[in-house]
Amino acid sequence: MTVIAAQMRLSGRTTGSELGAAVSEFRLAGLWYWMVCLPLFRFLAFRWLWRIALWWCFLWRLAKLKLHLAPAHPDGAGGLGYLEVAQTYFFPLVLAISALMSASFAEEISSGISVFEAIYPALAITLILDLVLVLFPPCFFAFKLRACQERGLSDYSVLAARYVNDFDRKWLSAPGAQAEPLLGTADLQSLADLSNSVAILRNMRLVPVSARLLITVMVAALLPMVPLFLFKYPVAELVQKIVSKLAGL
């Protein structure tokens, strides 16, 4: 394999001239690449791009509709929290993009075309690209959710004021209120439920994206890049240094 790699003059990128030389010397491998691998890769890449375009278009048009959003919905996103589940189906694409970039840099570093420090800008760009692909479409609903939150705070503030005033009149100001038993009454539980609803409104997310989804996307984007650090920090040398430190050598 070392002789084959040297003869093919791997340069860290796949160019037509280099593949032409490879096909002339290793015809079966070259034909397999040109007729199977490259068309399959392009088909899958364009297929994913088409799916992303359709999904973005669908969410864009959906965000323009008159949606009936529930301000106090338990998901904290007006009922749009399920979009987070739909976005998780793009994790294979995130892994594929990062794996492709990682393999490309590994080839360039091993062949001496590039240095390890060059991966940091590309790593940041890849991470930003993955985050945009997964997290940008739900941002189409930001204005809808903001309007829903403002409307909910206004409506629930009026409702809370009415309920608290009635509660005060019944349990604090009314004659004989002290004689009524508090245990088992539903008024206290209703007051607590109303407080929880207002708290949900105040903590409502303006984008149906949670911290869990964000962390998962970042892990999926960075995980394929981890093996690249073996070029900078070989495992054998690290183990040897650790053992030397522990042994006091």
Side-chain angles (χ1 to χ4, degrees), residues 111-175:
S111 59
I113 300 299
S114 180
V115 294
F116 175 81
E117 286 71 16
I119 72 171
Y120 292 115
L123 182 62
I125 294 175
T126 302
L127 180 60
I128 294 174
L129 176 62
D130 292 333
L131 290 176
V132 169
L133 287 176
V134 178
L135 304 183
F136 183 71
C139 295
F140 297 155
F141 299 91
F143 294 104
K144 293 280 187 179
L145 291 175
R146 178 60 180 174
C148 176
Q149 184 187 34
E150 293 178 353
R151 174 175 55 84
L153 287 174
S154 176
D155 295 341
Y156 275 79
S157 295
V158 175
L159 176 63
R162 288 174 50 197
Y163 187 87
V164 170
N165 290 332
D166 293 342
F167 186 89
D168 290 344
R169 283 194 298 268
K170 178 179 179 181
W171 292 101
L172 299 177
S173 303

Side-chain angles (χ1 to χ4, degrees), residues 27-49:
R27 183 169 299 276
L28 291 179
L31 290 177
W32 178 262
Y33 174 81
W34 282 106
M35 299 180 66
V36 179
C37 296
L38 189 58
L40 180 61
F41 171 78
R42 289 175 175 173
F43 168 75
L44 293 176
F46 283 111
R47 183 172 179 266
W48 271 108
L49 290 176

Side-chain angles (χ1 to χ4, degrees), residues 59-75:
L59 293 183
W60 175 259
R61 298 180 66 178
L62 181 64
K64 290 183 174 297
L65 298 178
K66 187 177 180 180
L67 302 177
H68 180 68
L69 301 178
H73 198 282
D75 64 3

Side-chain angles (χ1 to χ4, degrees), residues 156 160 163-164 167 185-200:
Y156 275 79
Y163 187 87
V164 170
F167 186 89
T185 180
D187 295 341
L188 294 175
Q189 184 60 43
S190 299
L191 182 62
D193 294 339
L194 183 59
S195 300
N196 292 333
S197 299
V198 175
I200 292 176

